[in-house]
Amino acid sequence: MCVMSDKGRAPDRRPAHAAAAPSEGALDELVLHHLRSRGYMQSASALERELQLAPSAAAAPFAVEGTRPALSKLLITAAAPAIAQNYGELRDWVETCLDAYKPELRRVLFPLFVGCYLSIVRSSEREVASHFFNQFREDHALAHRAELNALSQLTSAEQLDASPIARRVESDRWEVPISAYAHALLLHAVHSRGLAPLLHTLNQRVRLVRHRAHPDPSVDDGQAGSGTAAAAAAHLWLGISDAAIEEANQSEQAWGPLEMLEVVHKRFSAARADDAAAEDAAEEEAVGGEEGRGEKQRGKKRKPAAAAPEAGGSLVSNAASRVPLPPVDERVEKEIVKESRRCVSLVGRKPPTAAFVTVLDAAGMLCSAVFSSDSTILACGFSDSQVRLYLLKEAGPPKKKKAQPPKEAPAEPPAEGAAEGAPDATAVVEGTTSMEGEATSVAATVCLRGHAGPVYSLSFSRDDTILLSCSQDGTVRLWGIAQRACLVCYQAHAAPVWGVAFAPLGSYFATASHDRTVRVWCVNSLQPLRLLVGHLADVRCCCFHPNLSLLASGSDDLSIRIWDVQDAKCVRILCKDGHSAAVTCVAISNDGQLLASGGSDKAVLVWRLSSGCLLRRLRVHTGTVWSVGFSQESAQLVSGSADCSIAVWDVVGAMSSEETPHELQADTAQAPDGVAKETPYLISRLYTKETPVLASRFTRTNLVLAAGAFSPRKK
Amino acid sequence: MASEAHATPPPSDSRAAPPLISRDTIKTIAQSVGIAHLKDDVADALAPDVEFRLRDVIAQALKFMAHGRRERLTADDVNFALRLRHAEPLYGFSAADPPRFCRAGGHADVYFLDDPEINLSDVMSEPLPPAPREPSFSTHWLAVNGVQPSVPENPTLERGGGKRARGGEAAEVEVVALARHALTEEEQAWLERITSAVRDGVPSSSRGDGETQDAQRFIKKPRTVSPFDIALRAVAKDSSTHALSPHLSYFVASEVNSNLRCLPRLVSAMRLLHAMLQSLTVDLEPYLAQIMPAVLTCIVGKQLCALPHEDHWALRRTAAGLVCIVVSRFGERYPTLQERLTKTLLAVLRDPTKPLTSHYGAIVCLQMLGPMAVHTLLMPSMATYVHSLEEQLHSALVSSEPPAAAADRGNAQARSERKRKQQEKLEAILRLHGLALHVCCTYFFVHGAMFNTGAPLPPLSSKPPAVSSSSLAPGGVPLARGGGKKAAAARAVGAASGATGAKDPPSATEQLSAPAATSAGLQLRPATSYQTLEDCFGPEPLMSFTRATLWKPTEVVERPVNSTLPQALSQRHLSRAYSLLDAFI
C-alpha cells in the first residue's frame, strides 16, 4: 500500500508538452508573448535568445485578442486525451492514498471530473469525452446523479455555451475545504506526476480552502453528534448521497428471526407448558430449589410480555434462511428455552441488575473479552497473544451485596443468571478493600496459547463448546473448550483480523479484517466460503442476523453494511446521519428488526434494518463505545464504553416515538452537551471503578453482564 | 507550471504550515548515516515522501492502539504497523523501560536518544525483578435493580457521576449531597439502631454487685442475647460498618464525654469500641484522635460512677485493654502514640494529688502495655510507691480508728458518710496495693527472666536462698525457716509490706504500733536494674509473696480482728476486698 511512491516515483513526464507538439512554433511565440504581458521580462528575453527569434515577430497575431484565452485554448485543445489520462492517474492516486486524507481528496475529484469533462468537450473530441465520461461516471454516480445526467447531455462545444450548468461551472470556481497536509499531498502528486493539464483545470475550476491542519473536522469537534456533520463525514467517505443510499436500501429482505428456531422453541415451550406440574417442580428442584420455584412464578407472569415482540416480529415474514442450516442441537435449545422461562421482563424501563467481572493486573493488556452464551465463562484476549478463559462458575458468584439492609433482601433481583449458580459465596473475602486483594484461584483460569499477536476478538458458539479467536497475526483459531486446545487454524487473511463472530446456530462464522473484506467461513473448511467486498476502509466488527442469511459489518469508513450471505451482496448501507467516526461494534436484536452500533464518536445509534434509517442517536458516553447488546425481548439496550461506564437504554421508548425525524433533529441538537437536557432514553448509567468496559451484554435471563480490565490511572 | 501551481492557494497560506519533515531534517539524517553532502533536490524530493510514509505508519499504529483498547501508543503498535507495511520493525523499544528522547541542552530542536551504557555485571548481580502478576478476575454486583451497592468494587458515591447513577434525580440535590458524607437511608437507619441499642441495652446486672462477672462478661461471650449484643456483634462482623466508622467513633467519644458519672453507659461505650476494634473493616485510624481521650478518661478518670460501690475498676481494666489493642495495632504507624500515652499515664502516677483511682488506672494500663513497659517505666518508682501506699494505708487505718473510741456525737448520717468515705479510701488503697504487688510479682516471677542476666530466680515453691545475718533487717533477728514459720512470716510482713499486714492482721497490728520499724525494714536501693526481688524490697520477704502463706482468707477469719482493726473495716468487707485482690494474682 505504499502507493504513491511505487507508482509516482517513476518519472514519466511525457503528457503535456508531448501532446502540444503540433504547433511548436506558435506555442513558443505564445509563451513568449505571455511572459512579456505578465512582466517576466528577463525570462522573456532568455527565451528569446534561446529561440533566436526576431523581436519583431513577436508582435504579430496575438496582440489584438490577448494571449491568455488563446493560450488556454491552445493548451486545452492540444491536451484532451492527456487530460483524461491525467484524471485517471489522479483518481488512482487518491484511491491509494492514506485513509485519513482520502475523504478530502475525494471531495476534490468531482469538480475536477466536471472541469475535465467540459474541457474535453470544448476541445471537440467526442470519443475522448464520452469515453472519459463513461469511464469515471461510476465514481460519482451515487452522489451526483442529477449533475451527471445534466452533464451527459452536453456533448459539443456549442451545447456548452447554451447550457446554464456548463456556464456556471466554467465561470465559477468550486470551493472545496481541505486540510493543509491533504493539500500539500495533492499538489505534490500533481507536480511529481507532471499532471499539468489537470493542474490547469484544478486552478480554473476549484478553489481549495485550507481550513486547518487536521482532516475531518467533524470527528474532533466534539460537536460530532449533530446530524449534518455526521452526514457530511459519511459522504466524504463514501461519496454517496442520501438519495442514493435510500435507493440502495430498497431491496426486500426477510427481517424476521429464524423460523425453524422459532418452531423448535415453541415446541419445547409448549411441551413444558403441557407437562404436569410435578415434573416441572422436580426439574426446578434440580436447577435451584426454592429460587427456581420463584423464578417459575415470574416466568409465568412474563409470558404475555414476551409474546408481544414476537407478535410484532411475525408481521415481517419469518422466512426460512437462505443459507443451508446446520443441524439444531436440541439439547442446547431445550436449555435455552428453559432458561428463558426465568427471564425477567424489562419492558417499562425496569432498572437493570448488572454483574461485573473485573480483570485484574491486566491494564493495557486486555484487548478483548466476551461472555459465553450461558454466561459461565469469560474469555479474554490479551496483547501477549494469549487467550484466557475465566470460569466464572467455579470462582463463585458475585458477592451478595453486603451493604444492603436486611429488609431489602426479599427484593433481591430475580434475574440471577447462570453466572450465579451457587448462592453461597465461597470466594468472598470479607474486608478486602483494595481490588488487588482478591485473586482468583488458579483452577478457575484456563490459558490458551497459540496466537502470535494480540487477540482482537473472540466469539463463542451457541452451545459453548467452541471458541473462535482472531489476532493480529492474520489467523483465526478455533478452540475446544472441553479440550482446552486449539483445534483448527484458519489462515486466509493476509492482514490483521479485527473481528470474528459466530453465526446463531454455529457452523458458520464471519471475520472482519484490515484488508477491508468480510469473509464468511464454515468451521469445517479452511478456506472462506464468501468474500464480502465493499467497505472502503478496515472492517472492525461483524455480527450475524438471527436468521443467519444476513450479516452486518461495521467499518472505519463510518458505515455499517448489511450483506446477504448467500449472494455476497450488500443489501443495506447504514450511514445516513450515521457515525462520524469509526464503527466499533454492532449488534442485532433478537427479533431481527433493529441494529445497534457504537462508534469512536462516543455515540450509540439504533437503526431500523428494514428501512435502513437511523432511529435514535443515543449520546451519553464520553469515551469510545466498545460494546452494545440488546436484551432478550429487545426492550433495552446496554452499551459499554471506554469512559468506565455502562449505559442502559430504553429501546421501547425510543421506538414508540419512531419515524419523527424532526424530533430526532431536536434531540440530537441538544444532546451533544449532555448538560442541556437529560438524555431522553437513558434508563441507568452505571459507573465502574476505573475499569473501561470491554464487553457488555444481556444474559438469557436479562441480567446485564459486563467485563473490563481494572486500569488505575496512576500506577 | 510553477506559477500556475502558485496561483492555486492563497500565497500566504502555503507558508502557514511547514511540512513536518523539512529539507534540513533530511540532510541532518543523511549526515547521521554518513552521507555528507546531500543535494537539495534530493532532500526536497525525499522530504514529502518520508512524511507520507511516516504519517501512514502512524495512522496504522493508531489503529492497532484502538483495537488494543488502549489510549496510549506503544512501541508494539508501531512495530505492527511497520510489519503491515513489510518494513523491518524497530528493535529495542518494546521493553518496559525504553530509551527516551532527550532535548539537547541549549538547542530547541535537537534531540537525541538517551541510551546509557549498562554494565552487564551490574545487571547480573541485581536481584531478579518481581515476576509480573498473572491476570486474575473478581466479580461483583455493579447494580441491583438500578442501584449500585456500596461495595468496595464500585466507585464511591461521593463522585458526581456515582450520584447521578442512582436514578437521575434533580441536579441541585446532587450538588448539595457532594458536600457531606452521604449515608444511604439504610445506613442511617442502621446507625440509629446501633446507637439506640448501645444507649438502652445496658446490661442490668452491671448496676448491681456482680462486678467481676461483668468484667468477665465483657471479655467473654454474653450469656443472654440482648439487642445490645446483637448490635455489637453486627458492628464486629458486618463489613458494611466501614461507612459508619466516623459516626460510631464520634458516638463513642460523645457518650464518654456526656456520661462521665454513668458507669453503665461508659461500659457500653467501651464495649462498642471493642466491637469496632474487632471488626476488620472499620478503620479507626483517622479517628484515633477522637477516641483516645475518651478511652483515657475511662482509665484515669477521677470518678466514673455515681454510686461508690459500683465497679469502676473493671471499666478501667477493660479500657486499658482497649488501649493496648489500639497501641498494638496502630503503634507502628504512629510511633509517638505509645510515647504520648505512657507520658500521660506516668504523669498521673507521679502526681500525688491525683486520686488513687487514677493511679490504679494508670498502673493497670502500664502493666497491660507489657513487661517492657513495666520494666522501664513502672519498676524504677515502684518501691517508693508501694512504700507510700503503705503509709497511706496505715494512716487510713489509724484515722478510721477514732470513731470507735469517740463517743459518736455527730448525727448518724454524718457518721455513716464519713464511714463510707473511709471504707472507700481503704478499699482503694487495698486494691492499689494489691495491684502494685501483683505487678511486682508478675514482673519478678514471670517476666523477670527477660531482664535477668544473672542467676535464675528461685522457684516459687522452693526454699529461698539462705540469707546471711548481715543482710538482715535492723532488728537483727535471723530468719527462722521451717519450724519458725509463723514468726518469720510475721516478721517478714512487718518488715516488708503493708499488704501482708492487711492480710495478716496480727502482724499488722504488731507493726502498726511501731511504724518506724516498718519503714526501717524496707531497704530501698537506687538500683536501675532489678535482678531479684531482694534488690527491690530487701532480702527478707521472698516467702511472703507466695499465695499459700499470705493470701489465705481463713487466716483473716481466725484472727481476732476486732481488737486491732478499726470497726469501720468490717470483717465482711475486708474479706471481700481480699478476694478481689486475690483475683488479681
Side-chain angles (χ1 to χ4, degrees):
Chain A
M1 295 248 169
C2 336
V3 222
M4 187 188 112
S5 33
D6 293 355
K7 277 194 173 179
R9 281 291 153 231
D12 62 339
R13 290 184 160 258
R14 80 201 115 81
H17 295 297
S23 52
E24 192 74 52
L27 182 63
D28 285 341
E29 278 184 34
L30 212 51
V31 168
L32 188 62
H33 198 82
H34 178 67
L35 287 178
R36 278 205 185 117
S37 69
R38 301 289 292 265
Y40 298 122
M41 298 311 282
Q42 280 190 338
S43 314
S45 56
L47 182 63
E48 225 168 45
R49 248 178 280 124
E50 197 177 304
L51 296 176
Q52 300 197 334
L53 283 174
S56 58
F62 308 108
V64 188
E65 44 188 305
T67 50
R68 197 172 160 78
L71 185 67
S72 55
K73 187 161 185 177
L74 186 64
L75 279 174
I76 290 164
T77 47
I83 286 179
Q85 192 188 351
N86 285 358
Y87 178 81
E89 247 180 80
L90 189 70
R91 176 183 161 278
D92 290 347
W93 171 78
V94 166
E95 288 307 316
T96 54
C97 196
L98 286 187
D99 279 353
Y101 306 101
K102 213 181 278 183
E104 294 178 299
L105 296 173
R106 285 220 186 90
R107 200 157 25 180
V108 183
L109 278 185
F110 183 68
L112 266 185
F113 171 75
V114 176
C116 290
Y117 179 68
L118 294 190
S119 302
I120 298 171
V121 168
R122 210 164 267 289
S123 70
S124 313
E125 303 246 9
R126 287 207 176 196
E127 288 96 67
V128 179
S130 66
H131 181 251
F132 175 76
F133 191 78
N134 291 332
Q135 189 181 358
F136 298 117
R137 67 172 293 167
E138 275 310 306
D139 291 353
H140 314 287
L142 286 171
H144 303 281
R145 189 167 297 271
E147 289 97 326
L148 286 183
N149 280 341
L151 283 180
S152 64
Q153 315 286 324
L154 308 173
T155 48
S156 69
E158 294 77 35
Q159 282 170 333
L160 287 191
D161 293 334
S163 156
I165 296 178
R167 254 181 296 156
R168 214 187 72 215
V169 169
E170 290 195 318
S171 62
D172 289 352
R173 286 173 81 182
W174 205 303
E175 219 166 83
V176 178
I178 191 166
S179 71
Y181 186 65
H183 179 252
L185 272 183
L186 181 66
L187 284 195
H188 185 260
V190 170
H191 279 294
S192 64
R193 276 145 223 263
L195 308 177
L198 206 60
L199 185 61
H200 178 79
T201 318
L202 189 66
N203 285 336
Q204 256 190 343
R205 307 275 177 247
V206 185
R207 190 204 312 275
L208 296 174
V209 184
R210 296 202 326 187
H211 49 92
R212 53 194 299 162
H214 291 294
D216 218 353
S218 56
V219 176
D220 42 357
D221 257 357
Q223 291 288 328
S226 65
T228 50
H235 276 199
L236 292 188
W237 264 105
L238 298 170
I240 301 178
S241 74
D242 296 351
I245 292 170
E246 270 173 34
E247 197 179 314
N249 287 353
Q250 288 305 314
S251 67
E252 279 298 322
Q253 297 290 331
W255 298 102
L258 201 58
E259 197 176 31
M260 192 187 77
L261 263 189
E262 297 272 299
V263 169
V264 172
H265 283 190
K266 278 212 179 96
R267 181 154 56 80
F268 280 130
S269 51
R272 287 183 62 82
D274 290 346
D275 274 351
E279 194 206 312
D280 246 9
E283 235 168 60
E284 299 287 6
E285 213 99 58
V287 172
E290 295 199 356
E291 197 182 326
R293 216 164 285 147
E295 301 297 348
K296 201 179 78 191
Q297 293 294 334
R298 285 190 201 91
K300 274 182 182 159
K301 270 182 222 156
R302 191 194 60 86
K303 273 272 150 126
E310 262 172 42
S314 62
L315 289 180
V316 187
S317 61
N318 288 357
S321 175
R322 299 178 58 218
V323 179
L325 290 177
V328 177
D329 186 343
E330 299 224 335
R331 188 182 53 79
V332 175
E333 300 307 322
K334 205 166 184 173
E335 199 59 39
I336 290 172
V337 170
K338 197 159 113 190
E339 209 172 341
S340 71
R341 289 166 63 84
R342 300 171 52 192
C343 181
V344 181
S345 170
L346 293 179
V347 179
R349 293 180 69 98
K350 189 176 189 305
T353 297
F356 197 88
V357 182
T358 311
V359 183
L360 305 167
D361 301 315
M365 281 173 64
L366 190 63
C367 294
S368 55
V370 70
F371 288 99
S372 69
S373 310
D374 63 358
S375 318
T376 54
I377 305 174
L378 172 70
C380 292
F382 288 85
S383 59
D384 60 1
S385 322
Q386 297 189 14
V387 178
R388 282 191 176 83
L389 303 180
Y390 293 125
L391 313 179
L392 303 177
K393 210 163 187 175
E394 285 186 22
K399 296 173 190 182
K400 294 286 182 187
K401 333 121 272 161
K402 283 173 249 161
Q404 296 285 322
K407 59 168 182 162
E408 280 221 352
E412 167 92 10
E416 285 162 359
E420 197 193 354
D424 54 318
T426 49
V428 173
V429 184
E430 270 206 6
T432 44
T433 46
S434 69
M435 302 285 281
E436 289 83 358
E438 259 172 90
T440 34
S441 60
V442 185
T445 307
V446 177
C447 205
L448 305 175
R449 298 185 181 86
H451 279 295
V455 181
Y456 289 127
S457 181
L458 300 152
S459 180
F460 274 98
S461 68
R462 190 182 181 83
D463 56 359
D464 287 329
T465 54
I466 294 174
L467 173 73
L468 281 171
S469 64
C470 65
S471 161
Q472 182 269 338
D473 60 11
T475 62
V476 176
R477 279 174 189 270
L478 185 145
W479 310 84
I481 298 297
Q483 296 86 350
R484 301 185 173 183
C486 179
L487 305 181
V488 193
C489 177
Y490 305 93
Q491 205 158 12
H493 287 287
V497 187
W498 299 134
V500 65
F502 244 118
L505 286 179
S507 291
Y508 298 104
F509 66 93
T511 54
S513 167
H514 170 76
D515 61 14
R516 303 179 183 195
T517 62
V518 178
R519 292 173 201 229
V520 181
W521 309 65
C522 189
V523 284
N524 60 9
S525 146
L526 286 178
Q527 288 304 314
L529 307 177
R530 293 285 183 277
L531 206 60
L532 310 178
V533 185
H535 276 298
L536 300 172
D538 297 22
V539 191
R540 283 214 178 191
C541 51
C542 52
C543 123
F544 269 94
H545 191 274
N547 72 10
L548 225 118
S549 48
L550 296 169
L551 177 70
S553 62
S555 163
D556 279 1
D557 67 6
L558 318 182
S559 73
I560 300 152
R561 281 171 192 257
I562 313 292
W563 309 84
D564 186 322
V565 175
Q566 184 64 41
D567 301 343
K569 268 188 195 157
C570 178
V571 294
R572 290 285 182 280
I573 305 174
L574 311 179
C575 63
K576 185 185 171 189
D577 301 323
H579 284 284
S580 54
V583 184
T584 50
C585 51
V586 291
I588 299 180
S589 67
N590 275 353
D591 58 12
Q593 303 297 307
L594 299 176
L595 180 140
S597 62
S600 306
D601 57 354
K602 303 161 188 172
V604 177
L605 306 191
V606 182
W607 307 80
R608 180 167 282 285
L609 280 178
S610 53
S611 64
C613 287
L614 177 67
L615 271 186
R616 284 290 171 268
R617 178 187 302 276
L618 308 171
R619 294 189 65 85
V620 75
H621 286 300
T622 55
T624 303
V625 180
W626 278 338
S627 62
V628 288
F630 280 99
S631 72
Q632 292 305 310
E633 68 270 64
S634 313
Q636 292 189 0
L637 176 71
V638 62
S639 60
S641 158
D643 64 2
C644 304
S645 76
I646 287 172
V648 181
W649 307 89
D650 180 13
V651 177
V652 174
M655 278 173 58
S656 60
S657 49
E658 195 182 332
E659 320 297 0
T660 46
H662 295 296
E663 198 214 337
L664 172 71
Q665 289 303 326
D667 276 352
T668 49
Q670 290 185 349
D673 291 341
V675 280
K677 186 181 154 192
E678 198 56 42
T679 39
Y681 305 112
L682 183 68
I683 294 176
S684 184
R685 191 167 177 210
L686 309 172
Y687 292 85
T688 66
K689 199 186 222 173
E690 295 180 357
T691 309
V693 184
L694 253 68
S696 64
R697 51 160 267 196
F698 281 94
T699 64
R700 285 173 187 155
T701 53
N702 273 347
L703 174 81
V704 175
L705 269 187
F710 180 56
S711 318
R713 231 158 276 139
K714 188 87 186 124
K715 281 195 177 177
Chain B
M1 204 189 290
S3 72
E4 297 229 31
H6 192 239
T8 313
S12 63
D13 206 13
S14 65
R15 309 255 180 281
L20 289 179
I21 307 290
S22 65
R23 175 200 297 177
D24 292 341
T25 316
I26 297 291
K27 284 190 157 181
T28 312
I29 295 171
Q31 278 176 10
S32 74
V33 296
I35 306 171
H37 300 291
L38 195 70
K39 283 183 185 166
D40 282 358
D41 298 347
V42 180
D44 281 344
L46 272 177
D49 189 49
V50 169
E51 183 171 345
F52 181 90
R53 285 162 182 269
L54 209 57
R55 282 173 185 270
D56 183 32
V57 168
I58 291 171
Q60 296 303 327
L62 286 175
K63 245 179 227 174
F64 282 100
M65 179 193 80
H67 283 281
R69 314 285 170 106
R70 274 176 280 112
E71 279 169 348
R72 176 179 290 193
L73 195 69
T74 65
D76 279 334
D77 292 331
V78 178
N79 282 344
F80 288 143
L82 286 170
R83 207 171 289 166
L84 205 60
R85 293 287 177 258
H86 305 290
E88 183 99 347
L90 301 169
Y91 297 109
F93 288 88
S94 304
D97 186 24
R100 298 174 185 287
F101 277 94
C102 298
R103 191 188 293 266
H107 301 276
D109 299 328
V110 182
Y111 296 87
F112 65 94
L113 202 57
D114 184 24
D115 199 3
E117 279 186 20
I118 295 175
N119 193 346
L120 206 57
S121 61
D122 286 354
V123 177
M124 295 292 286
S125 63
E126 267 178 21
L128 285 174
R133 298 177 66 175
E134 189 79 356
S136 56
F137 73 98
S138 84
T139 54
H140 70 275
W141 289 107
L142 187 65
V144 176
N145 288 335
V147 178
Q148 294 195 263
S150 56
V151 290
E153 290 88 349
N154 281 332
T156 44
L157 294 177
E158 283 93 293
R159 229 184 65 185
K163 282 302 284 182
R164 219 187 313 155
R166 317 192 113 246
E169 279 90 3
E172 61 268 21
V173 175
E174 180 185 322
V175 174
V176 175
L178 280 180
R180 44 175 121 106
H181 182 84
L183 279 186
T184 61
E185 273 180 35
E186 302 87 345
E187 283 168 335
Q188 272 171 358
W190 198 29
L191 179 64
E192 204 134 295
R193 284 181 69 170
I194 288 176
T195 51
S196 66
V198 171
R199 277 201 198 99
D200 307 334
V202 173
S204 59
S205 60
S206 73
R207 303 187 66 240
D209 44 357
E211 291 96 339
T212 44
Q213 287 168 9
D214 196 39
Q216 286 170 354
R217 172 188 278 194
F218 177 72
I219 310 293
K220 289 169 190 165
K221 262 197 171 174
R223 279 175 298 242
T224 55
V225 180
S226 65
F228 179 47
D229 298 319
I230 292 172
L232 287 190
R233 204 175 304 159
V235 169
K237 292 276 162 60
D238 205 320
S239 60
S240 58
T241 326
H242 173 71
L244 300 178
S245 40
H247 302 268
L248 287 177
S249 49
Y250 173 73
F251 174 73
V252 167
S254 65
E255 275 286 289
V256 170
N257 286 340
S258 54
N259 300 301
L260 273 180
R261 295 289 155 84
C262 181
L263 184 64
R265 297 281 284 270
L266 293 178
V267 168
S268 36
M270 287 301 110
R271 288 182 63 180
L272 176 62
L273 182 60
H274 187 218
M276 288 163 71
L277 284 169
Q278 279 178 330
S279 166
L280 292 171
T281 50
V282 175
D283 187 15
L284 281 178
E285 191 178 336
Y287 315 110
L288 280 183
Q290 199 172 33
I291 280 177
M292 284 309 282
V295 185
L296 278 177
T297 305
C298 287
I299 294 175
V300 298
K302 185 180 175 189
Q303 189 179 358
L304 296 172
C305 48
L307 300 172
H309 65 268
E310 285 182 275
D311 187 15
H312 58 95
W313 313 101
L315 170 69
R316 290 173 202 273
R317 288 195 298 274
T318 51
L322 292 182
V323 163
C324 292
I325 298 176
V326 168
V327 166
S328 64
R329 187 177 300 174
F330 303 107
E332 277 188 12
R333 265 173 283 177
Y334 297 102
T336 59
L337 177 68
Q338 186 167 359
E339 192 185 326
R340 278 160 59 191
L341 178 75
T342 50
K343 239 179 217 169
T344 312
L345 294 174
L346 277 181
V348 170
L349 195 57
R350 283 172 183 156
D351 189 352
T353 62
K354 292 276 182 199
L356 293 174
T357 47
S358 304
H359 285 188
Y360 179 87
I363 293 181
V364 164
C365 192
L366 282 172
Q367 188 200 8
M368 288 198 182
L369 285 174
M372 202 60 201
V374 173
H375 175 71
T376 53
L377 303 171
L378 221 42
M379 285 321 284
S381 58
M382 209 51 189
T384 43
Y385 188 72
V386 169
H387 189 201
S388 73
L389 265 186
E390 279 162 9
E391 280 177 351
Q392 282 187 48
L393 177 67
H394 179 233
S395 64
L397 288 173
V398 167
S399 67
S400 63
E401 230 162 353
D408 29 349
R409 304 285 175 269
N411 56 33
Q413 203 181 359
R415 219 180 55 201
S416 68
E417 176 70 13
R418 209 168 44 231
K419 201 169 141 191
R420 195 182 57 74
K421 280 201 170 161
Q422 283 167 354
Q423 280 183 6
E424 264 178 57
K425 184 154 192 207
L426 204 54
E427 192 196 355
I429 294 173
L430 284 176
R431 276 181 178 274
L432 205 47
H433 195 259
L435 173 68
L437 291 183
H438 172 58
V439 169
C440 294
C441 286
T442 321
Y443 174 73
F444 283 112
F445 290 119
V446 181
H447 303 299
M450 285 169 62
F451 310 102
N452 187 7
T453 52
L457 282 173
L460 272 181
S461 54
S462 74
K463 282 172 74 178
V467 184
S468 68
S469 58
S470 63
S471 67
L472 287 181
V477 186
L479 271 174
R481 304 285 173 188
K485 186 179 172 189
K486 268 259 161 79
R491 233 189 324 274
V493 165
S497 67
T500 40
K503 307 295 141 15
D504 212 345
S507 57
T509 48
E510 237 175 71
Q511 295 302 323
L512 282 174
S513 58
T518 316
S519 59
L522 264 178
Q523 293 191 335
L524 296 180
R525 296 172 193 176
T528 46
S529 83
Y530 308 98
Q531 301 281 315
T532 61
L533 197 58
E534 286 114 303
D535 286 340
C536 183
F537 287 109
E540 291 120 312
L542 260 182
M543 278 306 288
S544 66
F545 283 93
T546 60
R547 285 181 69 155
T549 53
L550 275 181
W551 302 92
K552 257 187 205 156
T554 50
E555 277 186 51
V556 179
V557 180
E558 281 168 11
R559 300 292 163 180
V561 181
N562 290 345
S563 62
T564 52
L565 274 181
Q567 297 276 328
L569 204 63
S570 72
Q571 176 96 27
R572 188 192 61 80
H573 191 98
L574 203 59
S575 68
R576 215 188 82 206
Y578 291 160
S579 69
L580 281 180
L581 290 178
D582 207 11
F584 274 117
I585 299 192

